[in-house]
Amino acid sequence: MGPNNITNTNTDTDVLIIGAGPTGLTLALELSLQHIPFRIIDSSPSRSPYSRAFALHARSLELLSRHPNIIPELISRGTFNLSVKLFSNKTPIFEIHLKDTPFADTAFPGPLFVSQAITEEVLDRVLEGYGRGVVEWGVKAVEVSQDASGVSVTLQNADGNEEIVRAKYIVGCDGAHSIVRKSAGLSFEGGAYPQDFILADVRLKWEYKANLHIFVGHYGLLAALPLGEGVFRLVCSRPFERDSEKEPTLEDFRDAIKQHVPGEVEISDPVWMTRFRLHHRIASNYRAGRCFIAGDAAHIHSPAGGQGMNTGIQDSVNLGWKLASVLRGESSDPELLLDSYHLERHKVGVAILHGTDRVFEIMATTNPVVLFLRDRLVPWVMPWILGDRERRRVRIRFISQLGIRYRNSPVVGNSRSWEGKLRGGNRAADGKLVGPDLSPGGGGETTLIGLLKGPGYHLFLFSGAGQNAIGMEELGNVEKALVDGYERITVHRILDRVEKSRKGFVDLDGNLHIAPPLKGVNTGAQY
């Protein structure tokens, strides 16, 4: 770096986001909701057109519903995957139907399969609509240094011109080779899986439904995932005898299908084909002073269960409101609040890393002994494990990330008089509500989590159900007793039935009164 190509040394912002994938975009959206100044940069010249990650789980959909128009557009351009069919050596051994294991505490029936390219396109559009910042493409962070009052970052654009930016905080959403993580001195422990993998998005004609299919056998692993309109994502392990440095061809996938899939299958029209290696790593800490990391910069793991992009999105939701609270001077203990990001999210990363590792190593193994045992045990063990409704429910809840909670976090707690089963740090149950205009299907519908918008805190007051329910007037008295004298609190009254006043939100299905969330939650405290 030389002084002659430094064009600006006086650019300030509250938060500088490095990396504009789903993790970085989500953080930019959260800061926009909180009215916090930021910049978001990415070293790529433009968006990738390829699908890459493809699954948005229920918890991520809940959190993204807090931003306008994201969920309706994603649903219209994706498909909910409601079953998984497992084969072993061409023999079907079990099929999971998610409708058989419904969760009453979420508005989403299962994972939404939609291309990452579409997800990024939709998030970009919403971010632009907020009017607080857009992605700066072709801008690379080349040097990062922090001191007690902020972070200095040297940015370089495609022309080689450099700019020194001063930010109060920096967040690395810049992937496995994160400059933020490296500059902060955070380790990234783990390793690579021994297998090579190939991937293709192709048009597929076969006898099976457009749902997730997983095939394991003597030759390795093949997964087929529907992306819509007859296009499927094929992912398969590459035999060791193949040249791992050679780009895959359509014939490679035809060979894999012959080895794994029973029946006649035709593949054509490849949209994207590539090879890749998989790693499993996690950072020693998600924070070092004023530097934070999120998403793949903090944790990378196998694609089992489609956890990576979802975990990154939820990292950003967790961090966004905490940065905002500290920057506005609202926190009584800002260092503890910022530390809680690592304390809460690192545990999640470790649990997902271990969970996906175990599954992936068994399913994609090339160890001859493990392979021998797997091929003989899987046809017996999997139906036993997944045939039980409760065991199936526990596993699906883990994959959907609906079971994540932060009960042991130092920044959550409970009232001394509270005797209910739920505790501070629990995920707030979600469900459909009809808004004050009481027009189902006509714009009046929302969800409980969808109400958690904007800066400040949210208080939910529930009327109760049945004969013990109270009305709007009584809820108003409770509201006055609780919030008078407090600022930045938005109150939502949740009723179990429509009242003459046609005010409040109505829990028409009654699910939120069966499993009510905590009475008062911060915009992101549950996340």
Side-chain angles (χ1 to χ4, degrees):
M1 181 182 72
N4 294 331
N5 60 350
I6 297 178
T7 59
N8 189 340
T9 60
N10 192 33
T11 303
D12 293 325
T13 189
D14 280 4
V15 181
L16 177 63
I17 305 168
I18 312 295
T23 301
L25 277 175
T26 301
L27 182 57
L29 290 169
E30 293 300 311
L31 295 176
S32 295
L33 269 186
Q34 299 285 345
H35 305 166
I36 297 297
F38 67 90
R39 287 180 66 181
I40 177 170
I41 67 167
D42 197 290
S43 59
S44 301
S46 62
R47 285 270 174 232
S48 168
Y50 300 119
S51 56
R52 293 157 290 147
F54 58 87
L56 284 168
H57 288 296
R59 186 55 178 155
S60 297
L61 293 171
E62 289 179 351
L63 298 176
L64 291 175
S65 73
R66 297 157 47 251
H67 300 277
N69 303 320
I70 288 180
I71 298 305
E73 185 165 358
L74 288 177
I75 290 176
S76 71
R77 300 176 68 179
T79 179
F80 279 106
N81 183 76
L82 299 180
S83 75
V84 181
K85 194 166 187 176
L86 180 63
F87 292 73
S88 178
N89 289 310
K90 293 190 174 183
T91 301
I93 60 173
F94 198 79
E95 184 169 9
I96 303 172
H97 295 280
L98 299 187
K99 287 185 178 179
D100 296 339
T101 316
F103 295 111
D105 62 347
T106 182
F108 301 99
L112 180 69
F113 282 2
V114 60
S115 163
Q116 182 178 328
I118 292 175
T119 298
E120 291 172 342
E121 176 193 332
V122 172
L123 299 188
D124 271 332
R125 189 178 303 119
V126 175
L127 180 62
E128 184 178 357
Y130 278 134
R132 297 185 176 274
V134 294
V135 178
E136 301 173 39
W137 293 105
V139 180
K140 181 180 181 181
V142 295
E143 187 175 341
V144 177
S145 61
Q146 66 171 313
D147 53 42
S149 60
V151 187
S152 296
V153 186
T154 303
L155 304 181
Q156 186 180 75
N157 64 23
D159 297 327
N161 293 321
E162 294 182 348
E163 168 190 7
I164 297 178
V165 174
R166 185 72 175 170
K168 295 175 183 176
Y169 296 98
I170 183 174
V171 184
C173 307
D174 46 345
H177 303 289
S178 170
I179 187 174
V180 177
R181 188 189 65 244
K182 293 174 181 177
S183 299
L186 299 172
S187 64
F188 202 38
E189 300 299 328
Y193 292 102
Q195 303 93 333
D196 287 296
F197 293 87
I198 54 176
L199 173 155
D201 292 345
V202 297
R203 193 162 295 280
L204 187 65
K205 290 184 179 180
W206 63 354
E207 63 186 82
Y208 304 106
K209 296 178 181 179
N211 287 309
L212 171 60
H213 290 74
I214 300 172
F215 305 86
V216 296
H218 304 309
Y219 300 97
L221 167 73
L222 184 147
L225 312 103
L227 297 179
E229 300 180 349
V231 176
F232 279 72
R233 159 76 54 83
L234 299 180
V235 179
C236 56
S237 50
R238 179 177 247 174
F240 282 117
E241 61 268 17
R242 299 286 178 93
D243 182 0
S244 62
E245 298 302 316
K246 182 182 176 182
E247 290 298 322
T249 65
L250 203 57
E251 199 59 37
D252 291 326
F253 292 95
R254 290 194 176 106
D255 290 344
I257 286 172
K258 289 177 183 178
Q259 293 168 346
H260 291 284
V261 184
E264 295 295 321
V265 183
E266 293 182 22
I267 61 171
S268 62
D269 304 327
V271 178
W272 180 36
M273 293 190 293
T274 190
R275 58 184 173 85
F276 60 98
R277 293 292 298 275
L278 293 170
H279 294 254
H280 48 104
R281 300 181 184 276
I282 192 163
S284 54
N285 202 306
Y286 289 7
R287 180 195 181 195
R290 293 178 174 270
C291 297
F292 297 83
I293 52 176
D296 286 355
H299 45 78
I300 52 176
H301 33 76
S302 88
Q307 302 293 291
M309 178 174 67
N310 291 272
T311 308
I313 287 171
Q314 293 173 48
D315 287 345
S316 289
V317 176
N318 185 289
L319 179 59
W321 75 269
K322 294 174 180 177
L323 285 172
S325 180
V326 170
L327 286 165
R328 286 196 295 263
E330 295 173 349
S331 175
S332 60
D333 192 338
E335 289 303 306
L336 180 63
L337 184 61
L338 294 178
D339 281 343
S340 74
Y341 166 64
H342 166 76
L343 295 173
E344 293 173 0
R345 295 303 299 171
H346 187 265
K347 290 180 179 179
V348 173
V350 169
I352 290 174
L353 187 70
H354 290 167
T356 58
D357 258 4
R358 287 193 295 268
V359 173
F360 191 74
E361 287 174 352
I362 293 172
M363 301 299 281
T365 183
T366 55
N367 181 299
V369 176
V370 178
L371 194 61
F372 176 84
L373 293 172
R374 186 202 67 190
D375 287 351
R376 281 150 183 79
L377 292 177
V378 162
W380 298 93
V381 173
M382 291 302 290
W384 177 79
I385 293 175
L386 298 177
D388 180 84
R389 182 184 176 90
E390 181 59 22
R391 286 194 293 265
R392 187 166 65 246
R393 188 194 68 79
V394 169
R395 281 155 181 80
I396 293 174
R397 200 165 184 85
F398 173 83
I399 293 171
S400 68
Q401 301 199 1
L402 293 173
I404 293 173
R405 63 189 188 185
Y406 309 125
R407 281 189 175 185
N408 297 321
S409 171
V411 298
V412 300
N414 302 283
S415 167
R416 292 180 180 178
S417 61
W418 175 250
E419 297 179 355
K421 292 182 179 180
L422 296 180
R423 291 289 183 268
N426 277 44
R427 163 186 162 269
D430 197 20
K432 293 181 180 179
L433 296 171
V434 177
D437 63 1
L438 302 178
S439 53
E445 292 186 16
T446 185
T447 64
L448 187 90
I449 301 300
L451 295 175
L452 298 175
K453 300 173 182 177
Y457 293 81
H458 293 258
L459 174 69
F460 290 100
L461 298 177
F462 290 84
S463 67
Q467 294 180 349
N468 295 322
I470 62 175
M472 283 292 294
E473 183 177 348
E474 291 164 289
L475 283 176
N477 294 334
V478 174
E479 176 183 335
K480 185 176 181 180
L482 290 175
V483 303
D484 267 12
Y486 293 93
E487 297 179 355
R488 303 177 67 85
I489 297 178
T490 302
V491 179
H492 308 282
R493 302 177 190 178
I494 313 297
L495 309 172
D496 76 326
R497 70 193 72 177
V498 178
E499 287 205 350
K500 291 182 180 180
S501 66
R502 303 182 75 82
K503 295 181 179 179
F505 293 91
V506 180
D507 174 21
L508 288 180
D509 296 331
N511 291 332
L512 294 172
H513 281 84
I514 294 172
L518 299 178
K519 286 186 177 179
V521 295
N522 181 278
T523 299
Q526 301 292 314
Y527 315 136

